[in-house]
Amino acid sequence: MSDKSSGVSANFADYKPLFDRNAALVEANRCLNCYDAPCIRACPTSINVPGFIKKIASDNMRGSARLILEANILGASCARVCPTQELCEGACVLHDLHEEPISIGRLQRYATDQVVLGGKGAALFTQGPTNGKKVALVGAGPASLGCAAELAQLGYEAVCFEKADQPGGLNSFGIADYKMDYETALAEIAWVKQLGVDIRCNTEVGRDIAIDAMLADYDAVFLGIGLDGVGPIGIPGEELDGVRDCLEFIAELKTQPKDDVSLVGKSVAVLGGGNTAIDAVTQAARLGAKHVYLVYRRTQAAMGAYKHEQELARKDGGIFVMEAQPVAVLGTSGKVSGLKCTRTRVTDAGFEYIAGSEFVLEVDVVLRATGQSKLVEFLGRFDGLKLDSKGRVEADENGRTSVEKIWTGGDCVSGGKEVVNAVAEGKRAAHSIHEYLQGAR
Amino acid sequence: MADLKTNTAGILSPNPFWLASAPPTNTGDQIMRAFDAGWGGAVWKTLGQPIVNTWSRYGALDINGVKIMGLNNIELITDRPLEVNLREITEVKKRYPNHAVIVSLMVEANREAWHTIVKQAEDAGADGLELNFGCPHGMSERGMGAAVGQVPEYTQQITEWVKEVAKTPVLVKLTPNIADIRYAARAAKQGGGDGVSLINTINSIIGLDFDTLAPRPTVNGWGSHGGYCGPAVKPIALNMISQIGTDDETLGLPISGIGGVSSWQDAVEFIALGSTSVQVCTLVMHYGFRVIEDLCDGLSNYLDERNMTLDELRGVALPRIHHWKELDLNYVVNASINQEECIGCGLCYTACEDGAHQAIHSERRADGRTFVEVMPDACVGCNLCSLVCPVDNCITMIQIPTDYAPCSWEQHSAGTGTLAPRPQDKLYAQLATAKKEEAPAT
Ligand SMILES: Cc1cc2nc3c(=O)[nH]c(=O)nc-3n(C[C@H](O)[C@H](O)[C@H](O)COP(=O)(O)OP(=O)(O)OC[C@H]3O[C@@H](n4cnc5c(N)ncnc54)[C@H](O)[C@@H]3O)c2cc1C
Ligand SMILES: Cc1cc2nc3c(=O)[nH]c(=O)nc-3n(C[C@H](O)[C@H](O)[C@H](O)COP(=O)(O)O)c2cc1C
Ligand code: SF4
Ligand code: SF4
Ligand code: SF4
């Protein structure tokens, strides 16, 4: 949505661009319309993929959008940000024919953009007749939005308290900018709000709103708080100017003009091996950095990042420094000047350092992407709320926690998955809440 | 390279492919470019009293994103002055003496008028004439085109008038907008016609504009029925050609086959069902004259691969066209799925389950894949699953040997043949006994 025509911002053009009509028709007609289609089963929100695709083919665009958004209220985001290679498109039967799978993500974008971002025609969904019950949602990320949208349609007053100044959680602030930009994420949420979802930003639960008061005032509570930032890894020099939480870096590049955050002439080291690290490498490279190193202590095969994302990072010039462990950040006059690492070797027990193998990468920026922490302190303030050994909230498949009135979903339960999983979990929780509150009547 | 030279009722051409009388043959310049590209002949856009056309003239039927599976037009005959066309015919023939230039004609039902135009066309150099009794729109409202072709007596009468003066071969172009094409072909033959061309376009409304709900092509908010052609009409043309080729009264009457020819394979079908030359319009309107290269190349390779000549191909399929009552009811086939090839799309299952005979079993395997299998006891061998399967050679129809001699409906009803048992027999027998057992209880 933002202008990406010039300078480094041109590097952030859409990775899955909008189809034009004829291209969409050709692609939609290529879909076999499978019976009991595996792509549906591979979608965490079970979108009727052949159904919406054949509606595109018949020019029933309203029907197509409805089918998608009924299953997944953030269908326009998911069309852009889902790792479709691993989900629906990965399951497409055309792989077995040695053909390219159907571009389900791009077709989904084609179908939903017009409704969600274009505001065409009468509203597809409306708030249900009010039933007098209220549900509080902590956070306004994908999990809470998935839950709140469903509740609003069922007639509940759904109120999301969000500590940030804008809603959307990592969907707004964390998604790689070439997949979806900040403005698009917010525009989608503006559309979701039309269903009657009440979002109150700059409102931190536990600080601006007391937990007890919230539990007393609302008939049920949904925790969609996601995870915390990426903390220090505990090596000397981390206080130097230039060492940052990777999420901060991504949020900044998404919300600031690209030229203000340009990395032209700088070198960057990203620490970690997951999807966040790989996204940071690609985006740092696209911001014009001279060298971008990905420093990971195991082998490439052990990296958690998706293969297709790894390839993208490599194509963009990312330099993979494998089996290397950072031991110190070096600096001059308070600023980062290098990263000292030691070689590691994978062993049966894990990995070990190789003595005398130290080397230094000359860098100006060090980004930590070594895994987000859990918000255990905050969660500990809910009486009786059980967490597992890794600090994740314990819940059944419908998101019910150990506390009677509290449901949950998204990253704070899974430990970090995808937007689509968060939406699915939020939606399931909404139905469980509905069942409970109806029974309680 | 097979010899593709063709003689259609005395009209010679270097190959069997002619441009049909239509926009691609509007002008001498187009026809000369077409000959340069490799076309064997061209039927000049119909000459007659010049007319005035509407501006918006064509509409298309797109199917599943594929453009122009059918084309419809409300265009009339040539809108260029007669003298200009005649001068250009002379010019083309002078420069291309070995290519076939056939001139299509349509004038009012008046003997003098027909005599005049025939002489004009032949004096200009035509190698043959084609009488347009087929145009189904506009011209028919003025008593010409299909208005003639739909009445065998008129067809015969005008053909006779033309033959009174014509020195070159006369082809009669037939309209498909009739109940039985054989009557039209017989009339053309009786009138002295040297051959027939078919099919002309089919009456049609191609569709509506979804915003205004006006028929397409829309002329200032209104529309009119038009003539339908293009790939979608081929099966109708093939049937009509085979009917003429198998009718005792028109056996051997030369045919110039037309209707939806889009590839050399289509031409093989037209020729194998009795056509000598093959005419093409929509394909050229879509892609231009260059398509002739593969039409000739493909046909020639096909013949070479089979060591066959064009003459041997002509009509070769006709003896296989029979009445339904003569078909063997004891020829048993069953669908067979090649599990190695199957991609698990489930289309055969849903087609057979909902649209055929509930003869395919489907289940979701532990690995998430759909597994399908044919139940031979239920399969009636209808072919449907093999038609919907997206994978080549995955579902094949295999013949199941039986102990029964061939038996047609004709033989069966005459009591001279025995029918092999059908898969449904067992089921019906079960249902019948179930009924009987139930009966006393009620
Ligand atoms: C760098 C990065 C890239 C990613 N890329 C993709 C991708 O390409 N595709 C994809 O599908 N997924 C991606 N993900 C994952 C995806 O963003 C998350 O799975 C998803 O956003 C989880 O949603 P959530 O609602 O559970 O949590 P979040 O999105 O984290 O939202 C939680 C919200 O709760 C708020 N909150 C927390 N505590 C409080 C409190 N006490 N009071 C009020 N508000 C509070 C937070 O401010 C936040 O807005 C990515 C994640 C990261 C980190
Ligand atoms: C725009 C248009 C104009 C046509 N004009 C004539 C015509 O003037 N005379 C005629 O005999 N047939 C005319 N036809 C019919 C074609 O010659 C041909 O019979 C018909 O299009 C079927 O062939 P096809 O399926 O290859 O297009 C016309 C067809 C089209 C599409
Ligand atoms: S598996 Fe592929 S071809 Fe089949 S319905 Fe899904 S997208 Fe279409
Ligand atoms: S041939 Fe017909 S009846 Fe037999 S399995 Fe296929 S669809 Fe079913
Ligand atoms: S249609 Fe063909 S590929 Fe699809 S399930 Fe049936 S046999 Fe397999």
Side-chain angles (χ1 to χ4, degrees):
Chain A
M1 278 184 124
S2 52
D3 179 24
K4 287 175 175 173
S5 50
S6 64
V8 278
S9 60
N11 298 338
F12 290 85
D14 284 2
Y15 173 66
K16 289 186 182 173
L18 185 63
F19 270 129
D20 76 12
R21 180 167 177 274
N22 273 323
L25 286 182
V26 169
E27 190 63 5
N29 282 302
R30 214 161 64 80
C31 165
L32 298 174
N33 197 357
C34 293
Y35 173 80
D36 191 16
C39 50
I40 304 178
R41 282 181 259 143
C43 171
T45 54
S46 302
I47 293 177
N48 181 345
V49 175
F52 92 73
I53 290 180
K54 291 303 159 187
K55 284 180 191 292
I56 292 177
S58 77
D59 248 341
N60 177 1
M61 295 308 298
R62 225 177 128 71
S64 183
R66 186 199 303 274
L67 208 52
I68 296 165
L69 297 166
E70 240 165 31
N72 179 339
I73 200 73
L74 298 191
S77 276
C78 287
R80 297 167 163 81
V81 311
C82 269
T84 49
Q85 292 90 332
E86 307 290 328
L87 301 171
C88 53
E89 292 175 17
C92 177
V93 300
L94 291 181
H95 285 288
D96 282 11
L97 264 183
H98 307 291
E99 273 183 38
E100 282 295 311
I102 300 299
S103 297
I104 301 171
R106 288 186 66 190
L107 285 172
Q108 184 170 321
R109 172 167 178 189
Y110 180 75
T112 50
D113 269 18
Q114 319 187 2
V115 168
V116 174
L117 306 177
K120 227 174 115 185
L124 271 185
F125 306 102
T126 46
Q127 187 167 15
T130 167
N131 62 16
K133 300 222 157 91
K134 303 193 291 180
V135 180
L137 300 101
V138 187
S144 292
L145 292 171
C147 184
E150 209 64 17
L151 288 171
Q153 290 176 72
L154 290 169
Y156 293 86
E157 187 185 336
V159 184
C160 301
F161 298 111
E162 171 55 61
K163 68 180 176 191
D165 61 349
Q166 292 291 345
L170 287 171
N171 195 46
S172 298
F173 294 98
I175 298 292
D177 204 50
Y178 47 83
K179 291 186 199 161
M180 178 170 70
D181 62 22
Y182 177 61
E183 290 80 1
T184 304
L186 292 186
E188 183 184 48
I189 295 169
W191 176 80
V192 173
K193 275 160 101 173
Q194 292 176 0
L195 293 177
V197 174
D198 183 357
I199 301 179
R200 303 190 191 158
C201 289
N202 297 311
T203 311
E204 180 172 346
V205 172
R207 199 192 72 183
D208 305 314
I209 300 245
I211 292 174
D212 288 350
M214 178 179 74
L215 285 169
D217 287 353
Y218 288 83
D219 297 294
V221 167
F222 177 83
L223 298 176
I225 56 170
L227 302 171
D228 205 353
V230 184
I233 62 169
I235 55 173
E238 278 193 88
E239 72 294 342
L240 288 165
D241 184 10
V243 182
R244 311 184 67 182
D245 173 350
C246 183
L247 298 185
E248 244 176 69
F249 159 77
I250 294 173
E252 183 182 272
L253 80 89
K254 286 177 71 73
T255 52
Q256 307 297 315
K258 295 282 179 297
D259 290 327
D260 295 0
V261 292
S262 150
L263 288 171
V264 173
K266 301 211 169 125
S267 289
V268 180
V270 180
L271 315 185
N275 286 315
T276 298
I278 212 80
D279 276 6
V281 170
T282 304
Q283 291 176 100
R286 291 183 182 206
L287 283 176
K290 195 160 53 174
H291 298 296
V292 186
Y293 303 101
L294 178 78
V295 182
Y296 182 53
R297 57 192 181 179
R298 297 172 208 268
T299 60
Q300 194 178 345
M303 274 173 62
Y306 295 126
K307 283 276 165 310
H308 65 272
E309 307 270 4
Q310 293 186 27
E311 271 160 36
L312 192 65
R314 266 190 193 279
K315 263 194 232 148
D316 279 11
I319 304 164
F320 286 24
V321 184
M322 298 290 106
E323 297 182 274
Q325 168 75 27
V327 288
V329 184
L330 311 177
T332 41
S333 45
K335 288 195 167 159
V336 173
S337 64
L339 180 71
K340 188 171 180 185
C341 305
T342 178
R343 288 275 166 214
T344 63
R345 183 189 298 132
V346 177
T347 65
D348 290 344
F351 60 90
E352 62 187 21
Y353 299 145
I354 302 174
S357 67
E358 281 82 13
F359 63 98
V360 172
L361 297 171
E362 281 179 26
V363 294
D364 315 282
V365 178
V366 173
L367 299 175
R368 294 188 306 261
T370 42
Q372 292 170 257
S373 327
K374 315 287 185 310
L375 291 161
V376 275
E377 186 277 326
F378 174 72
L379 292 168
R381 288 153 66 187
F382 287 84
D383 262 353
L385 187 68
K386 278 199 195 142
L387 308 185
D388 71 7
S389 60
K390 291 181 171 159
R392 298 177 298 197
V393 183
E394 275 188 13
D396 69 8
E397 79 263 15
N398 295 319
R400 280 201 85 157
T401 67
S402 52
V403 180
E404 170 136 26
K405 271 170 73 174
I406 303 181
W407 277 258
T408 184
D411 281 0
C412 63
V413 180
S414 63
K417 272 191 171 167
E418 312 295 340
V419 172
V420 65
N421 301 97
V423 175
E425 289 162 26
K427 184 177 171 184
R428 272 204 300 275
H431 285 283
S432 174
I433 291 171
H434 182 49
E435 222 169 79
Y436 168 80
L437 290 181
Q438 263 181 335
R441 210 183 318 179
Chain B
M1 182 84 193
D3 182 7
L4 298 183
K5 282 202 274 308
T6 317
N7 178 346
T8 313
I11 305 169
L12 303 179
S13 57
N15 64 53
F17 296 105
W18 298 356
L19 292 171
S21 173
T25 62
N26 261 336
T27 66
D29 168 66
Q30 285 168 289
I31 293 180
M32 290 191 285
R33 282 193 285 119
F35 287 166
D36 286 342
W39 288 86
V43 186
W44 210 280
K45 174 76 183 172
T46 307
L47 306 189
Q49 284 304 313
I51 53 74
V52 180
N53 272 312
T54 58
W55 297 77
S56 160
R57 306 174 197 179
Y58 309 147
L61 176 74
D62 300 346
I63 298 183
N64 288 349
V66 185
K67 293 274 184 182
I68 314 194
M69 299 310 289
L71 179 70
N72 138 303
N73 81 90
I74 56 167
E75 191 171 285
L76 305 183
I77 61 173
T78 187
D79 53 10
R80 308 169 80 225
L82 185 60
E83 316 75 65
V84 175
N85 279 312
L86 294 173
R87 206 183 322 125
E88 289 181 4
I89 291 170
T90 309
E91 175 74 14
V92 172
K93 266 324 290 184
K94 203 165 74 196
R95 295 217 219 160
Y96 295 84
N98 300 323
H99 289 69
V101 174
I102 300 93
V103 178
S104 170
L105 303 175
M106 182 201 289
V107 287
E108 57 186 304
N110 169 308
R111 189 168 173 221
E112 293 316 310
W114 277 101
H115 281 183
T116 310
I117 194 119
V118 166
K119 282 184 197 140
Q120 284 171 321
E122 292 191 338
D123 288 347
D127 297 309
L129 305 174
E130 188 179 84
L131 313 185
N132 180 348
F133 297 162
C135 182
H137 50 267
M139 301 312 290
S140 55
E141 294 169 13
R142 306 176 195 180
M144 293 181 261
V148 175
Q150 284 167 338
V151 185
E153 292 75 21
Y154 296 170
T155 301
Q156 181 174 343
Q157 175 69 78
I158 294 179
T159 310
E160 280 168 5
W161 290 341
V162 167
K163 286 298 287 184
E164 285 166 5
V165 291
K167 300 192 208 76
T168 60
V170 174
L171 303 175
V172 180
K173 187 165 180 181
L174 305 180
T175 173
N177 300 301
I178 39 76
D180 188 335
I181 197 71
R182 289 173 299 184
Y183 293 92
R186 288 171 194 163
K189 190 179 176 192
Q190 238 116 55
D194 298 289
V196 287
S197 318
L198 71 159
I199 57 174
N200 208 313
T201 54
I202 305 174
N203 261 330
S204 64
I205 285 184
I206 198 84
L208 303 184
D209 176 315
F210 274 83
D211 290 330
T212 61
L213 295 176
R216 291 183 288 122
T218 309
V219 182
N220 200 9
W222 290 5
S224 188
H225 71 84
Y228 186 46
C229 54
V233 311
K234 184 187 76 168
I236 297 165
L238 289 179
N239 175 51
M240 291 188 166
I241 283 159
S242 76
Q243 281 186 292
I244 296 172
T246 52
D247 179 23
D248 286 340
E249 293 190 37
T250 50
L251 270 185
L253 183 66
I255 297 174
S256 187
I258 322 172
V261 173
S262 310
S263 68
W264 64 266
Q265 284 114 320
D266 296 336
V268 167
E269 292 171 325
F270 273 87
I271 296 169
L273 287 170
S275 306
T276 304
S277 50
V278 174
Q279 299 188 27
V280 182
C281 166
T282 304
L283 178 67
V284 170
M285 289 181 71
H286 197 162
Y287 297 110
F289 299 129
R290 61 199 164 123
V291 296
I292 186 60
E293 195 278 329
D294 193 58
L295 290 176
C296 286
D297 187 47
L299 176 60
S300 163
N301 288 333
Y302 178 81
L303 293 171
D304 285 348
E305 273 163 18
R306 288 164 186 259
N307 258 324
M308 212 180 194
T309 66
L310 202 50
D311 283 339
E312 286 164 355
L313 176 65
R314 184 168 322 105
V316 73
L318 288 174
R320 291 172 179 268
I321 302 227
H322 282 267
H323 293 297
W324 191 94
K325 65 182 181 190
E326 296 165 332
L327 301 179
D328 180 11
L329 297 173
N330 287 350
Y331 171 73
V332 180
V333 291
N334 259 203
S336 158
I337 296 174
N338 179 345
Q339 298 295 348
E340 304 270 287
E341 298 289 330
C342 174
I343 61 172
C345 68
L347 288 177
C348 56
Y349 166 75
T350 195
C352 185
E353 188 68 10
D354 295 357
H357 299 88
Q358 303 77 46
I360 294 182
H361 165 78
S362 153
E363 69 186 47
R364 221 190 254 180
R365 286 274 160 100
D367 62 359
R369 293 177 58 105
T370 299
F371 170 81
V372 289
E373 133 188 275
V374 177
M375 298 179 286
D377 279 355
C379 175
V380 305
C382 72
N383 298 342
L384 182 64
C385 55
S386 71
L387 303 180
V388 302
C389 178
V391 185
D392 265 358
N393 300 323
C394 175
I395 302 187
T396 40
M397 303 304 300
I398 49 169
Q399 190 183 347
I400 312 286
T402 68
D403 300 333
Y404 292 80
C407 172
S408 67
W409 180 250
E410 214 168 22
Q411 290 166 314
H412 175 66
S413 11
T416 57
T418 313
L419 290 183
R422 323 256 114 194
Q424 59 271 41
D425 290 349
K426 224 187 283 173
L427 182 73
Y428 295 158
Q430 275 167 7
L431 289 175
T433 50
K435 275 271 161 55
K436 267 185 218 137
E437 281 159 15
E438 252 167 49
T442 47

